[in-house]
DNA sequence: ATAGATGCAAATATTTTGCCGCCAG
DNA sequence: CTGGCGGCAAAATATTTGCATCTAT
């Protein structure tokens, strides 16, 4: 399976700018009248402290390391809740590592994800040009924009030479 | 299933600016030494003439209407080939209609997809700000960008009043 | 006490693979 | 002719659901 070998190369996938504010998610859940169960506390603790983008199984494994009394389905349900409450964002990271989704706590400012197609490192980027562009869209298309997702792929400084040597099939 | 009812609301999902150049995909396949099988001709014909973004099953059904001697797996394989050859782009459209992927023939210029979260209509948008932003990223992060995907969600003129009345759960 | 949450098993949804026979070049 | 390609069945991957039970409030 091609994607398996590809996935293995992407062991790093670091998140450079984590917008961590410990306890924020838990506080939001509480103040919005959701039950603070043991499982939910575990999940939001994992997400609040994550230094990189996690998929469902990674969240599940980390939570289980803290307390094994949690089920993968509960992770799916809680992540879905947080997503619907607008507290976390869902990413695909250009399907670099497969078709699963990745999650990150909602940053104070919307940002762009930039992935190296070879080493898999994911960097975040903010730009006033991005904000301007969204305003331009709102005006020209007469819409109210509430969300956006931008994922950029390319080759980082250290991978560029290798990418030139062995271009993608 | 919540997403089922949501999906049904998105019957339109029109593509406003289709970058159609009939025969282009077939010509590219041929000139790059790929076999022009009956099935591949069907698939690229469907994609070349599509006025909206299609998922695998939609491509499959349309191709089958032209000639039923085609298998869904072949559609997966051919779409994957076209993707790897850089002839088509893959989209998620913010998972508005589920977790499948959508495809469009590679446009001459990279563009942004803007979806109405209520009616599901997808519009395309080009912006020099977008190109500038990518150049900015290349400079500041010292990368060579080879691809990007931007998907924006919000409410269009006609859906905005309704969205205010019944905000998302 | 009870509405809302979890666990478990099973179902769905989407995509990929192995293998063999077939056909485009 | 023959190596790339397609069909088929089955596997793999990713996510959701029904229902009984439990628990945070």
């Amino acid at each position: 399976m091609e994607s398996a070998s590809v996935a293995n190369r992407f062991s790093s996938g670091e998140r450079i700018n984590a917008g961590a504010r410990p306890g924020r998610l838990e506080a939001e859940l509480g103040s919005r009248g959701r039950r603070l169960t043991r499982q939910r506390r575990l999940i939001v603790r994992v997400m609040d402290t994550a230094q990189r983008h996690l998929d469902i199984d990674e969240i599940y494994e980390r939570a289980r390391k803290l307390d094994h009394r949690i089920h993968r389905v509960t992770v799916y349900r809680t992540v879905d809740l947080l997503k619907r409450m607008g507290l976390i964002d869902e990413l695909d990271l250009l399907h670099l590592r497969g078709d699963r989704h990745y999650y990150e706590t909602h940053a104070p400012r919307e940002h762009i994800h930039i992935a190296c197609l070879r080493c898999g490192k994911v960097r975040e980027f903010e730009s006033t040009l991005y904000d301007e562009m969204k305003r331009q869209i709102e005006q020209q298309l007469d819409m109210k924009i509430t969300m956006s997702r931008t994922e950029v792929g390319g080759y980082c400084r250290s991978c560029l030479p290798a990418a030139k040597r062995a271009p993608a099939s």
Side-chain angles (χ1 to χ4, degrees), chain A residues 1-123:
Chain A
M1 184 215 233
E2 183 193 37
S3 52
S5 66
V6 169
N8 288 334
R9 282 198 277 125
F10 289 79
S11 46
S12 63
E14 284 167 55
R15 187 179 179 196
I16 304 297
N17 302 311
R21 275 139 305 160
R24 178 176 158 263
L25 290 181
E26 179 166 329
E28 285 284 349
L29 274 183
S31 67
R32 296 214 222 164
R34 303 291 181 165
R35 289 192 184 169
L36 282 173
T37 62
R38 180 167 33 79
Q39 292 89 336
R40 283 181 177 174
R41 280 181 216 273
L42 284 172
I43 293 167
V44 297
R45 180 146 66 139
V46 167
M47 301 212 59
D48 260 337
T49 61
Q51 294 301 312
R52 39 180 288 252
H53 308 101
L54 304 175
D55 67 26
I56 292 288
D57 263 35
E58 289 167 336
I59 297 169
Y60 172 59
E61 289 302 340
R62 289 185 183 204
R64 212 159 63 115
K65 224 166 261 172
L66 299 175
D67 181 340
H68 77 278
R69 290 170 298 168
I70 187 171
H71 198 277
R72 194 196 321 272
V73 169
T74 302
V75 179
Y76 272 106
R77 285 197 268 232
T78 298
V79 162
D80 186 59
L81 174 69
L82 294 169
K83 194 172 53 175
R84 283 186 288 105
M85 292 177 73
L87 298 174
I88 64 176
D89 287 326
E90 186 183 65
L91 314 171
D92 297 295
L93 297 182
L94 295 168
H95 306 299
L96 251 47
R97 307 201 213 169
D99 285 341
R100 62 210 116 160
H101 302 148
Y102 296 86
Y103 301 91
E104 69 176 7
T105 62
H106 197 75
R109 188 142 163 268
E110 226 164 21
H111 56 258
I112 297 158
H113 293 94
I114 296 142
C116 176
L117 299 174
R118 187 166 166 278
C119 70
K121 181 165 289 186
V122 177
R123 294 196 277 180

